[in-house]
Every structure is written in C-alpha cells, then in structure tokens.
C-alpha cells in the first residue's frame, strides 16, 4: 500500500519557538494532504486540507497564522506551529490522497511544548 | 454537520472471544466508511474500507458491515487475540475527501 512518512516522530521545544513538521508521500503523488490533531484519549480532529500549489483550507477555529501549511510539491507538505505554547502540545498526524478513494496516514508527530 | 459515534468507548474481553464494535453516523450521504486501528502513540492503520454501495468487507478475522440508510456500521472481530488490543476508529467520508472520525473504542483482549 501507499506509504506516508512524517518527520520528526517527536519533538520537544520551548514555549515561543516555532516547530516544523514534514509529511511525505513516499511512493505516490499526493494531490491533497490533510493535517489532523489528536489530544490524549480523543479522536482525530481535522485542522486543514491542502492541495498542491494552492493555499490550505482551514477548519473553523484553527488559526491559519499560527499553523502554517505549505504544500509545495506532490510529495511534501509541511506544518509549522509558530510561537508554540504548552496548549499546542498534541499528536499531529498527516494523511495524503492521490485523489482516489482513500487517505493514507503518516505515523504521527508528538509535539511537547515546555 | 456529520457526527460519528462509537459504542462502547472501551471494551475488555478474554482471549478467543468474538466481539462487535459499533459505529453510527448522522448523515447517510457518505462516499465510504473506513475502520482504523491505532496503537498507543502511533499513527493509524487502515483495516477495512467499505464503499457506500457495499454492504460488507472482510479481511481475515475482521468483518465490517455497512447499513447506510440507518447510518450504522459494525466491525466484527472473530477469535480475538491479545495482539488485537488497540483503539479502533471509525471514519466516514462525506464531501470531497473529508473524513469525520468517531471517538474510538479502546479494546483490551486479556490472555
């Protein structure tokens, strides 16, 4: 099946710093990538949808200036958490779709903001 | 707005037991429904995907059914094993590629 990777798998940062998370589709071209956030013992909540070469569409309540998404190529999307605060600590998961039926999920990135 | 509910929230069973996980959704206008497995601190593993035109899908000891008109799906796990212990998530695809997830069922299979 299709493989999606994320880097880093975990990151610890100080409050106020910015953190970049990469999501790559390794063996297919992803026309659309999705970013989700998952708090402990909760389900996945969609943050934004990005299509290659265009601006991301953010879900209601998600600050686009705080969570910067770039989908510059068909195999790479990045999520930058700017001026991170402890409440941004969460598990961030990306998924990728080639426009067919299914989304393929990455292994997730655990962000801890001190 | 699509809402997905999973029952029970947690389930503990002895090894070898057959079990059923339930998923319901409020808007029946779906493209497909997918069951995932998530181990602690890990990403999602897709188990089964059922198209809106299908009634069920099977993979090994897993069988998923879909009743679109009533907004329900079940995941049946036969002869459960300790390695099946995980959180099981149900997600429905509605407009475009958007997935809406349920809260999950945390399954523990005791040896």
């Amino acid at each position: 099946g299709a493989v999606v990777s994320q880097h880093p798998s975990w990151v610890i940062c100080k409050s106020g710093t910015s953190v970049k998370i990469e999501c790559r589709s390794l063996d297919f071209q992803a026309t659309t990538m999705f970013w989700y956030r998952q708090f402990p013992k909760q389900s996945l909540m969609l943050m934004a949808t990005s299509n290659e070469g265009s601006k991301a569409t953010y879900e209601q309540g998600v600050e686009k200036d705080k969570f910067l998404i770039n989908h510059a190529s068909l195999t790479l999307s990045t999520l930058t958490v700017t001026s991170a605060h402890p409440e941004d600590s969460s598990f961030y998961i990306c998924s990728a779709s080639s426009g067919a039926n299914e989304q393929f999920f990455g292994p997730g990135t655990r962000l801890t903001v001190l | 707005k699509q809402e997905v509910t999973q029952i029970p929230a947690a389930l503990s069973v002895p090894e070898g037991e057959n079990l059923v996980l339930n998923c319901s959704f409020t808007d029946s206008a779906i493209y497909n429904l997918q069951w995932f497995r998530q181990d602690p601190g890990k990403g999602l593993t897709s188990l089964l995907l059922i198209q809106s035109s299908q009634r069920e899908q099977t993979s090994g000891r897993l069988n998923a059914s879909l009743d679109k008109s009533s907004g329900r799906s079940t995941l049946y796990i036969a002869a459960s094993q300790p390695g099946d212990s995980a959180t099981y998530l149900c997600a429905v695809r509605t407009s475009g590629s958007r997935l809406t997830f349920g809260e999950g069922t945390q399954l523990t299979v005791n040896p």
Side-chain angles (χ1 to χ4, degrees):
Chain A
V3 180
V4 176
S5 70
Q6 282 185 240
H7 177 80
S9 56
W10 60 271
V11 57
I12 301 173
C13 69
K14 292 182 179 180
S15 185
T17 60
S18 294
V19 174
K20 181 185 284 188
I21 303 170
E22 293 185 348
C23 176
R24 294 182 185 271
S25 57
L26 298 185
D27 51 2
F28 68 101
Q29 293 188 325
T31 52
T32 306
M33 286 187 169
F34 305 83
W35 287 96
Y36 296 84
R37 180 167 52 184
Q38 185 180 34
F39 291 106
K41 297 195 180 297
Q42 295 186 22
S43 191
L44 279 73
M45 297 299 294
L46 180 64
M47 299 175 66
T49 303
S50 74
N51 293 295
E52 185 266 338
S54 61
K55 290 184 179 181
T57 301
Y58 290 80
E59 294 298 302
Q60 192 172 8
V62 178
E63 299 175 58
K64 62 181 180 181
D65 293 330
K66 181 169 183 61
F67 299 99
L68 302 179
I69 292 172
N70 183 285
H71 191 167
S73 78
L74 286 171
T75 60
L76 173 65
S77 175
T78 61
L79 167 68
T80 301
V81 183
T82 62
S83 186
H85 288 94
E87 57 266 29
D88 298 322
S89 298
S90 187
F91 193 54
Y92 291 87
I93 303 178
C94 74
S95 70
S97 171
S98 62
N101 225 351
E102 197 169 349
Q103 291 181 30
F104 299 95
F105 285 79
T109 296
R110 171 76 58 194
L111 169 64
T112 302
V113 184
L114 302 176
Chain B
K1 179 186 173 184
Q2 179 72 270
E3 293 183 2
V4 180
T5 304
Q6 290 186 244
I7 295 172
L11 181 63
S12 181
V13 300
E15 182 176 3
E17 192 163 297
N18 303 325
L19 57 99
V20 175
L21 307 181
N22 297 289
C23 172
S24 62
F25 46 95
T26 54
D27 185 352
S28 61
I30 65 170
Y31 289 98
N32 58 47
L33 182 144
Q34 202 164 355
W35 284 93
F36 295 90
R37 169 188 173 136
Q38 186 176 31
D39 292 287
K42 304 293 185 183
L44 303 183
T45 300
S46 179
L47 298 174
L48 291 165
L49 184 151
I50 312 177
Q51 303 293 348
S52 62
S53 59
Q54 297 176 320
R55 300 286 284 183
E56 66 177 342
Q57 282 286 334
T58 298
S59 176
R61 294 183 293 107
L62 305 179
N63 176 278
S65 69
L66 173 64
D67 184 342
K68 196 176 117 172
S69 60
S70 67
R72 295 180 182 178
S73 175
T74 62
L75 178 66
Y76 175 82
I77 302 177
S80 58
Q81 303 171 358
D84 294 331
S85 298
T87 296
Y88 290 80
L89 294 165
C90 164
V92 296
R93 181 185 168 202
T94 50
S95 58
S97 299
R98 184 189 181 89
L99 284 179
T100 303
F101 284 84
E103 294 287 326
T105 293
Q106 186 173 353
L107 173 65
T108 302
V109 181
N110 301 300

